[in-house]
Amino acid sequence: MICARCDKPIRPNEPYDPVDKFSPSAGGMVLHVHRRLCKQPPTQTAPEDQTHRRIYR
């Protein structure tokens, strides 16, 4: 099983919690997360602004 929060494996005999994910357009699903709060990896939700980027040639 893979943790939906940190994307790392949940090992056998390691405690986890099921989490219901609802979807208005399709059937929901059950995700699994570590019972002990794990660190969520950083995510980028929008493209980087290219106007402030310096280009070195």
Side-chain angles (χ1 to χ4, degrees):
M1 249 186 295
I2 301 293
C3 177
R5 186 181 299 129
C6 68
D7 291 331
K8 293 189 178 176
I10 298 175
R11 306 212 186 278
N13 300 325
E14 188 175 7
Y16 65 88
D17 290 322
V19 178
D20 291 330
K21 181 177 180 195
F22 299 101
S23 174
S25 62
M29 53 195 305
V30 177
L31 304 174
H32 300 92
V33 295
H34 288 108
R35 183 163 292 162
R36 196 180 107 235
L37 188 61
C38 49
K39 185 176 180 181
Q40 187 172 8
T43 57
Q44 182 174 348
T45 58
E48 182 181 5
D49 183 13
Q50 298 292 324
T51 60
H52 299 292
R53 188 177 195 148
R54 297 181 89 180
I55 300 175
Y56 297 100
R57 295 180 189 200

